[in-house]
Amino acid sequence: MADQRARYFRRLRRLRRSARSWSVFASGLGGAAVILTPYQGLGLPDAAWVAGSGAAAALALWRWSDLRTLRAQPAPAPSDPALAAERARVRLVAAVERLPAGRGALAEVRRQRTRMALRGSAAAAPWERLNRASSAMTGLAGRLPASAEPAVVEATAAEQSLLDLAHRVASLEKTTRFAPEESRPGLEAVHRNLRQQLDRGVGAYEALVVAAAGYLAEDFRSAGEHPAATRLTEATDLLHGIAAGLAQLRGMGDPSRAPY
């Protein structure tokens, strides 16, 4: 949504320019009608001049009236720059995601940004494991049946929660470096607790991905041989039969040359 204050002032400028333009146009037509009418008396061309000047004058009055009405309304309050920047970022991200490869490019940019933010932190290694498991889950999610949709939704929410936890671990490490000596033991204890939670959460996420892969493997195994493989086998057998028949015909020679 555009800035309401900017839209208000743009509309104000447009109305002012329109009112001035129609005023000048009405004055020009009116002056021409006053000067040119006495030369040849009243006629059809003079009526056109007078009608044009009257219509232009009426439009100019309407524009001035709209301008006064708009001026009487208070201007909207200026928007927060941070909120405006966030709206612009959301619009840009939505535009990029509509491109064919936009969603994948944005995902890669987010991964690289997270990798740079967690570099050198104790949360870097768990996040790498989470990243690999998330990539695997993305590939599996499209092949899972509809009954597994709640598990996919839960995995997405858990991934975001673990990512936030990894950022909290990294932020706590930065805070501990500059904290006073007397407060460091408490911060280090909190850091150990968060790190353990992150390790357990990433382990549970990996177990979920393994379970999803096992479900797909069992589903494919219970379905028997794939239809594509069956059709290819049948086509191969057919071609072998045709080749054997042709070889047999060549061995018999040309029937038209055989003696009676």
Side-chain angles (χ1 to χ4, degrees), residues 78-116:
S79 60
D80 187 6
L83 186 59
E86 180 63 21
R87 285 200 297 264
R89 187 191 68 81
V90 170
R91 287 197 299 269
L92 178 60
V93 169
V96 173
E97 285 183 344
R98 285 194 293 268
L99 298 176
R103 190 177 298 274
L106 285 175
E108 183 61 28
V109 169
R110 293 189 183 102
R111 281 195 294 268
Q112 293 299 328
R113 185 176 60 186
T114 304
R115 182 175 286 111
M116 293 297 295

mmCIF file of all heavy atoms in Angstrom, residues 78-116:
data_model
loop_
_atom_site.group_PDB
_atom_site.id
_atom_site.type_symbol
_atom_site.label_atom_id
_atom_site.label_comp_id
_atom_site.label_asym_id
_atom_site.label_seq_id
_atom_site.Cartn_x
_atom_site.Cartn_y
_atom_site.Cartn_z
ATOM 1 N N PRO A 78 2.685 11.426 8.889
ATOM 2 C CA PRO A 78 3.791 10.745 8.189
ATOM 3 C C PRO A 78 3.982 9.329 8.702
ATOM 4 O O PRO A 78 3.859 9.056 9.899
ATOM 5 C CB PRO A 78 5.000 11.637 8.487
ATOM 6 C CG PRO A 78 4.628 12.415 9.704
ATOM 7 C CD PRO A 78 3.138 12.601 9.648
ATOM 8 N N SER A 79 4.257 8.426 7.802
ATOM 9 C CA SER A 79 4.417 7.016 8.167
ATOM 10 C C SER A 79 5.795 6.774 8.775
ATOM 11 O O SER A 79 6.739 7.538 8.560
ATOM 12 C CB SER A 79 4.239 6.130 6.937
ATOM 13 O OG SER A 79 5.215 6.455 5.963
ATOM 14 N N ASP A 80 5.881 5.706 9.534
ATOM 15 C CA ASP A 80 7.150 5.312 10.144
ATOM 16 C C ASP A 80 8.118 4.853 9.053
ATOM 17 O O ASP A 80 7.778 3.993 8.234
ATOM 18 C CB ASP A 80 6.890 4.174 11.131
ATOM 19 C CG ASP A 80 8.130 3.822 11.936
ATOM 20 O OD1 ASP A 80 9.134 4.541 11.805
ATOM 21 O OD2 ASP A 80 8.092 2.834 12.692
ATOM 22 N N PRO A 81 9.347 5.392 8.991
ATOM 23 C CA PRO A 81 10.291 4.963 7.942
ATOM 24 C C PRO A 81 10.594 3.479 7.999
ATOM 25 O O PRO A 81 10.735 2.832 6.955
ATOM 26 C CB PRO A 81 11.541 5.810 8.231
ATOM 27 C CG PRO A 81 11.047 6.992 8.998
ATOM 28 C CD PRO A 81 9.889 6.499 9.799
ATOM 29 N N ALA A 82 10.684 2.936 9.204
ATOM 30 C CA ALA A 82 10.962 1.500 9.312
ATOM 31 C C ALA A 82 9.805 0.683 8.752
ATOM 32 O O ALA A 82 10.015 -0.326 8.056
ATOM 33 C CB ALA A 82 11.216 1.131 10.771
ATOM 34 N N LEU A 83 8.567 1.122 9.036
ATOM 35 C CA LEU A 83 7.411 0.401 8.512
ATOM 36 C C LEU A 83 7.331 0.523 7.000
ATOM 37 O O LEU A 83 7.000 -0.451 6.298
ATOM 38 C CB LEU A 83 6.135 0.945 9.163
ATOM 39 C CG LEU A 83 4.820 0.223 8.836
ATOM 40 C CD1 LEU A 83 4.897 -1.237 9.251
ATOM 41 C CD2 LEU A 83 3.650 0.918 9.501
ATOM 42 N N ALA A 84 7.642 1.723 6.469
ATOM 43 C CA ALA A 84 7.635 1.894 5.020
ATOM 44 C C ALA A 84 8.701 1.033 4.352
ATOM 45 O O ALA A 84 8.470 0.438 3.297
ATOM 46 C CB ALA A 84 7.849 3.370 4.678
ATOM 47 N N ALA A 85 9.881 0.962 4.975
ATOM 48 C CA ALA A 85 10.940 0.114 4.419
ATOM 49 C C ALA A 85 10.553 -1.357 4.456
ATOM 50 O O ALA A 85 10.839 -2.113 3.518
ATOM 51 C CB ALA A 85 12.237 0.344 5.194
ATOM 52 N N GLU A 86 9.874 -1.786 5.521
ATOM 53 C CA GLU A 86 9.439 -3.176 5.604
ATOM 54 C C GLU A 86 8.401 -3.490 4.528
ATOM 55 O O GLU A 86 8.425 -4.572 3.911
ATOM 56 C CB GLU A 86 8.865 -3.443 6.995
ATOM 57 C CG GLU A 86 8.366 -4.867 7.210
ATOM 58 C CD GLU A 86 9.465 -5.909 7.095
ATOM 59 O OE1 GLU A 86 10.652 -5.552 7.249
ATOM 60 O OE2 GLU A 86 9.122 -7.076 6.840
ATOM 61 N N ARG A 87 7.470 -2.552 4.297
ATOM 62 C CA ARG A 87 6.480 -2.775 3.240
ATOM 63 C C ARG A 87 7.148 -2.860 1.875
ATOM 64 O O ARG A 87 6.794 -3.700 1.044
ATOM 65 C CB ARG A 87 5.441 -1.649 3.245
ATOM 66 C CG ARG A 87 4.427 -1.739 4.377
ATOM 67 C CD ARG A 87 3.199 -0.922 4.044
ATOM 68 N NE ARG A 87 3.528 0.487 3.918
ATOM 69 C CZ ARG A 87 3.392 1.384 4.888
ATOM 70 N NH1 ARG A 87 2.938 0.999 6.074
ATOM 71 N NH2 ARG A 87 3.708 2.645 4.703
ATOM 72 N N ALA A 88 8.153 -1.996 1.642
ATOM 73 C CA ALA A 88 8.875 -2.059 0.369
ATOM 74 C C ALA A 88 9.621 -3.378 0.221
ATOM 75 O O ALA A 88 9.664 -3.965 -0.869
ATOM 76 C CB ALA A 88 9.840 -0.878 0.270
ATOM 77 N N ARG A 89 10.210 -3.866 1.328
ATOM 78 C CA ARG A 89 10.928 -5.141 1.261
ATOM 79 C C ARG A 89 9.980 -6.297 0.965
ATOM 80 O O ARG A 89 10.289 -7.193 0.162
ATOM 81 C CB ARG A 89 11.652 -5.391 2.587
ATOM 82 C CG ARG A 89 12.572 -6.605 2.583
ATOM 83 C CD ARG A 89 13.026 -6.937 3.986
ATOM 84 N NE ARG A 89 11.937 -7.406 4.799
ATOM 85 C CZ ARG A 89 11.475 -8.661 4.763
ATOM 86 N NH1 ARG A 89 12.027 -9.566 3.963
ATOM 87 N NH2 ARG A 89 10.466 -9.017 5.532
ATOM 88 N N VAL A 90 8.793 -6.261 1.588
ATOM 89 C CA VAL A 90 7.814 -7.324 1.352
ATOM 90 C C VAL A 90 7.359 -7.318 -0.105
ATOM 91 O O VAL A 90 7.222 -8.372 -0.743
ATOM 92 C CB VAL A 90 6.622 -7.163 2.314
ATOM 93 C CG1 VAL A 90 5.490 -8.090 1.935
ATOM 94 C CG2 VAL A 90 7.067 -7.433 3.749
ATOM 95 N N ARG A 91 7.129 -6.117 -0.670
ATOM 96 C CA ARG A 91 6.716 -6.040 -2.073
ATOM 97 C C ARG A 91 7.818 -6.548 -2.995
ATOM 98 O O ARG A 91 7.551 -7.250 -3.982
ATOM 99 C CB ARG A 91 6.358 -4.597 -2.430
ATOM 100 C CG ARG A 91 5.047 -4.114 -1.838
ATOM 101 C CD ARG A 91 4.564 -2.866 -2.549
ATOM 102 N NE ARG A 91 5.513 -1.770 -2.413
ATOM 103 C CZ ARG A 91 5.483 -0.866 -1.438
ATOM 104 N NH1 ARG A 91 4.531 -0.933 -0.516
ATOM 105 N NH2 ARG A 91 6.374 0.106 -1.387
ATOM 106 N N LEU A 92 9.079 -6.216 -2.676
ATOM 107 C CA LEU A 92 10.187 -6.677 -3.506
ATOM 108 C C LEU A 92 10.333 -8.195 -3.439
ATOM 109 O O LEU A 92 10.536 -8.867 -4.470
ATOM 110 C CB LEU A 92 11.478 -6.000 -3.057
ATOM 111 C CG LEU A 92 12.756 -6.401 -3.806
ATOM 112 C CD1 LEU A 92 12.620 -6.068 -5.292
ATOM 113 C CD2 LEU A 92 13.966 -5.695 -3.203
ATOM 114 N N VAL A 93 10.216 -8.761 -2.239
ATOM 115 C CA VAL A 93 10.323 -10.210 -2.089
ATOM 116 C C VAL A 93 9.190 -10.916 -2.836
ATOM 117 O O VAL A 93 9.410 -11.943 -3.510
ATOM 118 C CB VAL A 93 10.313 -10.590 -0.593
ATOM 119 C CG1 VAL A 93 10.146 -12.090 -0.420
ATOM 120 C CG2 VAL A 93 11.602 -10.126 0.077
ATOM 121 N N ALA A 94 7.973 -10.367 -2.745
ATOM 122 C CA ALA A 94 6.846 -10.971 -3.463
ATOM 123 C C ALA A 94 7.056 -10.917 -4.974
ATOM 124 O O ALA A 94 6.726 -11.866 -5.691
ATOM 125 C CB ALA A 94 5.541 -10.269 -3.077
ATOM 126 N N ALA A 95 7.625 -9.809 -5.464
ATOM 127 C CA ALA A 95 7.879 -9.700 -6.906
ATOM 128 C C ALA A 95 8.940 -10.693 -7.358
ATOM 129 O O ALA A 95 8.819 -11.312 -8.419
ATOM 130 C CB ALA A 95 8.307 -8.273 -7.247
ATOM 131 N N VAL A 96 9.983 -10.881 -6.548
ATOM 132 C CA VAL A 96 11.036 -11.825 -6.922
ATOM 133 C C VAL A 96 10.525 -13.258 -6.868
ATOM 134 O O VAL A 96 10.866 -14.095 -7.715
ATOM 135 C CB VAL A 96 12.263 -11.636 -6.003
ATOM 136 C CG1 VAL A 96 13.300 -12.726 -6.254
ATOM 137 C CG2 VAL A 96 12.884 -10.274 -6.221
ATOM 138 N N GLU A 97 9.681 -13.577 -5.890
ATOM 139 C CA GLU A 97 9.157 -14.944 -5.766
ATOM 140 C C GLU A 97 8.256 -15.324 -6.924
ATOM 141 O O GLU A 97 8.080 -16.517 -7.202
ATOM 142 C CB GLU A 97 8.400 -15.092 -4.445
ATOM 143 C CG GLU A 97 9.302 -15.186 -3.222
ATOM 144 C CD GLU A 97 8.514 -15.402 -1.958
ATOM 145 O OE1 GLU A 97 7.278 -15.178 -1.995
ATOM 146 O OE2 GLU A 97 9.117 -15.791 -0.942
ATOM 147 N N ARG A 98 7.684 -14.336 -7.615
ATOM 148 C CA ARG A 98 6.848 -14.651 -8.777
ATOM 149 C C ARG A 98 7.676 -15.048 -9.999
ATOM 150 O O ARG A 98 7.126 -15.591 -10.959
ATOM 151 C CB ARG A 98 5.956 -13.457 -9.114
ATOM 152 C CG ARG A 98 4.790 -13.281 -8.152
ATOM 153 C CD ARG A 98 3.762 -12.325 -8.705
ATOM 154 N NE ARG A 98 4.282 -10.975 -8.804
ATOM 155 C CZ ARG A 98 4.165 -10.052 -7.851
ATOM 156 N NH1 ARG A 98 3.538 -10.363 -6.727
ATOM 157 N NH2 ARG A 98 4.653 -8.843 -8.009
ATOM 158 N N LEU A 99 8.969 -14.796 -9.986
ATOM 159 C CA LEU A 99 9.821 -15.192 -11.097
ATOM 160 C C LEU A 99 10.019 -16.704 -11.091
ATOM 161 O O LEU A 99 9.852 -17.358 -10.060
ATOM 162 C CB LEU A 99 11.167 -14.474 -10.997
ATOM 163 C CG LEU A 99 11.114 -12.939 -11.079
ATOM 164 C CD1 LEU A 99 12.502 -12.357 -10.866
ATOM 165 C CD2 LEU A 99 10.550 -12.478 -12.413
ATOM 166 N N PRO A 100 10.388 -17.299 -12.243
ATOM 167 C CA PRO A 100 10.529 -18.763 -12.300
ATOM 168 C C PRO A 100 11.510 -19.325 -11.280
ATOM 169 O O PRO A 100 11.237 -20.317 -10.625
ATOM 170 C CB PRO A 100 10.998 -19.003 -13.742
ATOM 171 C CG PRO A 100 10.491 -17.827 -14.507
ATOM 172 C CD PRO A 100 10.532 -16.672 -13.559
ATOM 173 N N ALA A 101 12.696 -18.690 -11.166
ATOM 174 C CA ALA A 101 13.696 -19.194 -10.221
ATOM 175 C C ALA A 101 13.847 -18.281 -9.010
ATOM 176 O O ALA A 101 14.849 -18.361 -8.291
ATOM 177 C CB ALA A 101 15.049 -19.338 -10.926
ATOM 178 N N GLY A 102 12.854 -17.440 -8.778
ATOM 179 C CA GLY A 102 12.984 -16.462 -7.698
ATOM 180 C C GLY A 102 12.946 -17.064 -6.315
ATOM 181 O O GLY A 102 13.717 -16.679 -5.432
ATOM 182 N N ARG A 103 12.064 -18.060 -6.097
ATOM 183 C CA ARG A 103 11.935 -18.654 -4.766
ATOM 184 C C ARG A 103 13.230 -19.358 -4.348
ATOM 185 O O ARG A 103 13.689 -19.240 -3.219
ATOM 186 C CB ARG A 103 10.763 -19.629 -4.747
ATOM 187 C CG ARG A 103 10.372 -20.119 -3.365
ATOM 188 C CD ARG A 103 9.158 -21.023 -3.466
ATOM 189 N NE ARG A 103 8.012 -20.317 -3.986
ATOM 190 C CZ ARG A 103 7.174 -19.612 -3.228
ATOM 191 N NH1 ARG A 103 7.378 -19.530 -1.926
ATOM 192 N NH2 ARG A 103 6.132 -18.993 -3.771
ATOM 193 N N GLY A 104 13.825 -20.096 -5.287
ATOM 194 C CA GLY A 104 15.079 -20.767 -4.964
ATOM 195 C C GLY A 104 16.214 -19.796 -4.709
ATOM 196 O O GLY A 104 17.049 -20.010 -3.825
ATOM 197 N N ALA A 105 16.247 -18.701 -5.496
ATOM 198 C CA ALA A 105 17.300 -17.703 -5.295
ATOM 199 C C ALA A 105 17.169 -17.028 -3.936
ATOM 200 O O ALA A 105 18.170 -16.803 -3.235
ATOM 201 C CB ALA A 105 17.245 -16.660 -6.410
ATOM 202 N N LEU A 106 15.941 -16.713 -3.535
ATOM 203 C CA LEU A 106 15.742 -16.098 -2.223
ATOM 204 C C LEU A 106 16.113 -17.053 -1.101
ATOM 205 O O LEU A 106 16.701 -16.639 -0.085
ATOM 206 C CB LEU A 106 14.285 -15.655 -2.077
ATOM 207 C CG LEU A 106 13.871 -14.406 -2.846
ATOM 208 C CD1 LEU A 106 12.385 -14.160 -2.695
ATOM 209 C CD2 LEU A 106 14.654 -13.184 -2.375
ATOM 210 N N ALA A 107 15.782 -18.335 -1.260
ATOM 211 C CA ALA A 107 16.151 -19.314 -0.235
ATOM 212 C C ALA A 107 17.673 -19.412 -0.099
ATOM 213 O O ALA A 107 18.206 -19.499 1.021
ATOM 214 C CB ALA A 107 15.559 -20.671 -0.575
ATOM 215 N N GLU A 108 18.374 -19.377 -1.230
ATOM 216 C CA GLU A 108 19.839 -19.438 -1.167
ATOM 217 C C GLU A 108 20.421 -18.177 -0.529
ATOM 218 O O GLU A 108 21.382 -18.252 0.252
ATOM 219 C CB GLU A 108 20.398 -19.609 -2.580
ATOM 220 C CG GLU A 108 21.908 -19.755 -2.635
ATOM 221 C CD GLU A 108 22.406 -20.965 -1.871
ATOM 222 O OE1 GLU A 108 21.651 -21.954 -1.753
ATOM 223 O OE2 GLU A 108 23.564 -20.912 -1.392
ATOM 224 N N VAL A 109 19.845 -17.013 -0.818
ATOM 225 C CA VAL A 109 20.315 -15.767 -0.195
ATOM 226 C C VAL A 109 20.106 -15.819 1.314
ATOM 227 O O VAL A 109 20.985 -15.406 2.095
ATOM 228 C CB VAL A 109 19.578 -14.565 -0.820
ATOM 229 C CG1 VAL A 109 19.838 -13.296 -0.006
ATOM 230 C CG2 VAL A 109 20.045 -14.342 -2.251
ATOM 231 N N ARG A 110 18.954 -16.336 1.748
ATOM 232 C CA ARG A 110 18.692 -16.441 3.187
ATOM 233 C C ARG A 110 19.680 -17.402 3.854
ATOM 234 O O ARG A 110 20.154 -17.150 4.964
ATOM 235 C CB ARG A 110 17.258 -16.904 3.426
ATOM 236 C CG ARG A 110 16.188 -15.894 3.006
ATOM 237 C CD ARG A 110 14.825 -16.329 3.485
ATOM 238 N NE ARG A 110 13.780 -15.424 3.045
ATOM 239 C CZ ARG A 110 12.970 -15.682 2.022
ATOM 240 N NH1 ARG A 110 13.081 -16.826 1.363
ATOM 241 N NH2 ARG A 110 12.040 -14.814 1.650
ATOM 242 N N ARG A 111 19.979 -18.513 3.174
ATOM 243 C CA ARG A 111 20.940 -19.463 3.748
ATOM 244 C C ARG A 111 22.331 -18.845 3.886
ATOM 245 O O ARG A 111 22.999 -19.015 4.912
ATOM 246 C CB ARG A 111 20.995 -20.728 2.886
ATOM 247 C CG ARG A 111 19.855 -21.687 3.122
ATOM 248 C CD ARG A 111 20.169 -23.045 2.530
ATOM 249 N NE ARG A 111 20.255 -22.974 1.081
ATOM 250 C CZ ARG A 111 19.221 -23.192 0.256
ATOM 251 N NH1 ARG A 111 18.031 -23.470 0.758
ATOM 252 N NH2 ARG A 111 19.369 -23.144 -1.043
ATOM 253 N N GLN A 112 22.762 -18.131 2.859
ATOM 254 C CA GLN A 112 24.082 -17.507 2.933
ATOM 255 C C GLN A 112 24.128 -16.429 4.020
ATOM 256 O O GLN A 112 25.132 -16.282 4.734
ATOM 257 C CB GLN A 112 24.442 -16.896 1.575
ATOM 258 C CG GLN A 112 24.651 -17.923 0.478
ATOM 259 C CD GLN A 112 25.787 -18.880 0.780
ATOM 260 O OE1 GLN A 112 26.774 -18.521 1.428
ATOM 261 N NE2 GLN A 112 25.660 -20.111 0.308
ATOM 262 N N ARG A 113 23.044 -15.687 4.163
ATOM 263 C CA ARG A 113 23.009 -14.657 5.204
ATOM 264 C C ARG A 113 23.052 -15.286 6.591
ATOM 265 O O ARG A 113 23.750 -14.793 7.497
ATOM 266 C CB ARG A 113 21.743 -13.811 5.036
ATOM 267 C CG ARG A 113 21.654 -12.634 5.994
ATOM 268 C CD ARG A 113 20.437 -11.802 5.686
ATOM 269 N NE ARG A 113 19.213 -12.579 5.802
ATOM 270 C CZ ARG A 113 18.006 -12.116 5.472
ATOM 271 N NH1 ARG A 113 17.891 -10.896 4.993
ATOM 272 N NH2 ARG A 113 16.940 -12.863 5.625
ATOM 273 N N THR A 114 22.316 -16.387 6.785
ATOM 274 C CA THR A 114 22.352 -17.076 8.075
ATOM 275 C C THR A 114 23.726 -17.672 8.338
ATOM 276 O O THR A 114 24.226 -17.630 9.467
ATOM 277 C CB THR A 114 21.285 -18.182 8.107
ATOM 278 O OG1 THR A 114 20.002 -17.603 7.820
ATOM 279 C CG2 THR A 114 21.234 -18.850 9.455
ATOM 280 N N ARG A 115 24.357 -18.228 7.298
ATOM 281 C CA ARG A 115 25.691 -18.812 7.469
ATOM 282 C C ARG A 115 26.706 -17.738 7.898
ATOM 283 O O ARG A 115 27.556 -17.984 8.765
ATOM 284 C CB ARG A 115 26.139 -19.475 6.171
ATOM 285 C CG ARG A 115 27.497 -20.150 6.261
ATOM 286 C CD ARG A 115 27.855 -20.884 5.001
ATOM 287 N NE ARG A 115 27.092 -22.110 4.868
ATOM 288 C CZ ARG A 115 26.143 -22.312 3.955
ATOM 289 N NH1 ARG A 115 25.827 -21.353 3.101
ATOM 290 N NH2 ARG A 115 25.496 -23.468 3.899
ATOM 291 N N MET A 116 26.610 -16.544 7.300
ATOM 292 C CA MET A 116 27.520 -15.465 7.694
ATOM 293 C C MET A 116 27.244 -14.992 9.116
ATOM 294 O O MET A 116 28.166 -14.664 9.866
ATOM 295 C CB MET A 116 27.373 -14.294 6.715
ATOM 296 C CG MET A 116 27.852 -14.595 5.308
ATOM 297 S SD MET A 116 29.627 -14.954 5.255
ATOM 298 C CE MET A 116 30.266 -13.348 5.757
#
